[in-house]
Coordinates of all heavy atoms in Angstrom, one line a residue:
L15 N -0.3 12.2 -17.0 CA -1.5 12.8 -17.6 C -1.3 14.3 -17.8 O -1.7 14.8 -18.9 CB -2.7 12.6 -16.6 CG -4.0 13.3 -16.9 CD1 -4.5 12.7 -18.3 CD2 -5.0 13.1 -15.8
L16 N -0.6 14.9 -16.8 CA -0.2 16.3 -17.0 C 0.6 16.5 -18.3 O 0.4 17.5 -19.0 CB 0.5 16.8 -15.8 CG 0.9 18.3 -15.8 CD1 -0.3 19.2 -16.0 CD2 1.7 18.7 -14.5
P41 N -1.3 43.3 -41.4 CA -0.3 43.7 -40.4 C -1.0 44.4 -39.2 O -2.1 45.0 -39.4 CB 0.6 44.6 -41.1 CG -0.2 45.2 -42.2 CD -1.2 44.1 -42.6
D57 N 13.1 55.7 -52.9 CA 14.5 56.3 -52.7 C 15.5 55.7 -53.6 O 16.4 56.4 -54.1 CB 14.9 56.2 -51.2 CG 14.1 57.1 -50.3 OD1 13.5 58.0 -50.8 OD2 14.0 56.8 -49.1
A65 N 21.5 59.8 -60.5 CA 22.9 59.5 -61.0 C 22.9 59.2 -62.5 O 24.0 59.0 -63.0 CB 23.4 58.2 -60.3
A67 N 21.8 56.7 -64.0 CA 22.0 55.2 -64.2 C 20.9 54.6 -65.0 O 19.7 55.0 -64.9 CB 22.2 54.6 -62.9
Q68 N 21.3 53.6 -65.8 CA 20.3 52.8 -66.6 C 20.0 51.5 -65.9 O 20.9 50.9 -65.3 CB 20.8 52.6 -68.0 CG 21.0 53.9 -68.7 CD 19.8 54.8 -69.0 OE1 18.7 54.3 -68.7 NE2 20.0 56.0 -69.5
K81 N 1.9 61.0 -71.9 CA 0.7 61.9 -71.7 C 0.3 61.9 -70.2 O -0.4 62.9 -69.8 CB -0.5 61.4 -72.6 CG -0.9 59.9 -72.2 CD -2.1 59.5 -73.1 CE -2.5 58.1 -72.8 NZ -3.6 57.6 -73.7
K135 N -0.7 68.4 -59.1 CA -1.5 67.8 -60.2 C -2.1 66.5 -59.8 O -3.2 66.2 -60.2 CB -0.5 67.6 -61.4 CG -1.3 67.3 -62.7 CD -2.1 68.5 -63.1 CE -3.0 68.2 -64.4 NZ -3.8 69.4 -64.8
D141 N -8.8 64.8 -56.5 CA -9.9 65.6 -56.0 C -11.1 65.7 -57.0 O -12.3 65.7 -56.6 CB -9.4 67.0 -55.7 CG -8.7 67.1 -54.3 OD1 -8.6 66.0 -53.6 OD2 -8.1 68.1 -54.0
E149 N -20.8 55.9 -58.9 CA -21.0 54.5 -59.2 C -20.4 54.0 -60.5 O -20.0 54.9 -61.4 CB -22.5 54.1 -59.2 CG -23.3 54.8 -60.3 CD -24.7 54.4 -60.4 OE1 -25.1 53.4 -59.7 OE2 -25.5 55.1 -61.1
W166 N -5.5 54.3 -58.1 CA -5.8 55.4 -57.2 C -5.0 55.3 -55.9 O -4.4 56.3 -55.4 CB -7.3 55.5 -56.9 CG -8.2 56.0 -57.9 CD1 -9.3 55.5 -58.4 CD2 -8.1 57.3 -58.7 NE1 -9.9 56.2 -59.3 CE2 -9.2 57.4 -59.6 CE3 -7.1 58.3 -58.7 CZ2 -9.4 58.5 -60.4 CZ3 -7.3 59.4 -59.5 CH2 -8.4 59.5 -60.3
V218 N -7.1 45.1 -51.9 CA -5.9 45.1 -51.0 C -5.3 46.5 -50.9 O -5.0 47.0 -49.8 CB -4.9 44.0 -51.4 CG1 -3.6 44.2 -50.6 CG2 -5.5 42.6 -51.2
D231 N -7.9 41.4 -44.9 CA -8.0 39.9 -44.7 C -8.9 39.2 -45.7 O -8.6 38.2 -46.2 CB -8.4 39.6 -43.3 CG -7.3 39.9 -42.2 OD1 -6.2 40.1 -42.7 OD2 -7.6 39.9 -41.0
K232 N -10.1 39.8 -45.9 CA -11.1 39.2 -46.8 C -10.6 39.2 -48.2 O -10.7 38.1 -48.9 CB -12.4 40.0 -46.7 CG -13.5 39.4 -47.6 CD -14.8 40.2 -47.4 CE -15.9 39.6 -48.3 NZ -17.2 40.3 -48.1
Y244 N -5.7 29.8 -60.6 CA -5.4 30.5 -61.8 C -4.1 29.9 -62.5 O -4.0 29.9 -63.7 CB -5.2 32.0 -61.6 CG -5.1 32.8 -62.8 CD1 -6.3 33.1 -63.6 CD2 -3.9 33.4 -63.3 CE1 -6.3 33.8 -64.8 CE2 -3.9 34.2 -64.4 CZ -5.1 34.4 -65.2 OH -5.1 35.1 -66.3
I268 N -14.1 22.0 -65.9 CA -12.8 22.7 -65.8 C -12.1 22.9 -67.1 O -11.6 24.0 -67.3 CB -11.9 21.8 -64.8 CG1 -12.5 21.8 -63.4 CG2 -10.5 22.3 -64.8 CD1 -11.8 20.8 -62.4
T280 N 2.8 22.6 -65.4 CA 3.2 23.6 -64.5 C 3.4 24.9 -65.2 O 4.1 25.0 -66.2 CB 4.5 23.2 -63.7 OG1 4.1 22.1 -62.9 CG2 5.0 24.3 -62.9
T286 N -4.3 31.2 -70.5 CA -3.2 31.1 -71.5 C -3.7 30.8 -72.8 O -3.3 31.4 -73.8 CB -2.2 29.9 -71.1 OG1 -1.6 30.2 -69.8 CG2 -1.1 29.8 -72.1
T293 N -3.9 36.9 -69.7 CA -3.0 36.2 -68.8 C -2.1 37.2 -68.1 O -1.8 37.1 -66.9 CB -2.2 35.1 -69.5 OG1 -3.1 34.2 -70.1 CG2 -1.3 34.4 -68.6
Y295 N -2.6 40.3 -67.4 CA -3.3 41.0 -66.4 C -3.3 40.2 -65.1 O -3.1 40.8 -64.0 CB -4.8 41.3 -66.8 CG -5.0 42.0 -68.1 CD1 -6.2 42.0 -68.7 CD2 -4.0 42.8 -68.7 CE1 -6.4 42.7 -69.9 CE2 -4.2 43.5 -69.8 CZ -5.4 43.5 -70.5 OH -5.7 44.2 -71.6
R308 N 4.5 42.0 -49.1 CA 5.9 42.1 -48.7 C 6.2 43.4 -48.0 O 6.9 43.5 -46.9 CB 6.9 41.9 -49.9 CG 8.4 41.8 -49.5 CD 9.2 42.0 -50.7 NE 9.1 43.3 -51.3 CZ 9.8 44.4 -50.9 NH1 10.7 44.2 -49.9 NH2 9.7 45.6 -51.4
Q310 N 4.2 45.2 -46.5 CA 3.5 45.2 -45.2 C 4.1 44.3 -44.2 O 3.5 44.0 -43.1 CB 2.0 44.9 -45.4 CG 1.2 45.9 -46.3 CD 1.4 47.3 -45.8 OE1 1.4 47.6 -44.5 NE2 1.5 48.3 -46.6
L314 N 4.5 36.6 -49.1 CA 3.8 35.7 -50.0 C 4.7 35.1 -51.1 O 4.3 34.0 -51.6 CB 2.6 36.4 -50.7 CG 1.4 36.8 -49.9 CD1 0.4 37.5 -50.7 CD2 0.8 35.5 -49.3
L327 N 5.3 33.2 -64.9 CA 6.1 34.1 -65.6 C 7.0 33.3 -66.6 O 7.2 33.7 -67.8 CB 7.0 34.9 -64.6 CG 6.3 36.0 -63.9 CD1 7.2 36.5 -62.8 CD2 6.0 37.2 -64.9
G341 N 1.8 21.1 -80.2 CA 0.4 20.8 -80.6 C -0.6 20.6 -79.5 O -1.8 20.9 -79.6
A362 N 11.4 40.4 -57.5 CA 11.3 39.8 -56.2 C 11.9 38.3 -56.1 O 12.5 38.0 -55.2 CB 9.8 39.7 -55.8
M371 N 15.8 32.6 -63.4 CA 14.5 32.7 -64.2 C 15.0 33.2 -65.6 O 14.8 34.3 -66.0 CB 13.6 33.7 -63.6 CG 13.2 33.4 -62.2 SD 12.1 34.6 -61.4 CE 10.6 34.5 -62.3

Side-chain angles (χ1 to χ4, degrees):
L15 179 60
L16 179 59
D57 286 341
Q68 299 297 353
K81 62 183 179 180
K135 191 66 182 181
D141 283 354
E149 63 178 346
W166 287 130
V218 170
D231 287 349
K232 182 176 181 179
Y244 193 70
I268 292 172
T280 292
T286 299
T293 298
Y295 300 163
R308 185 194 68 85
Q310 296 306 323
L314 286 179
L327 282 168
M371 299 175 71

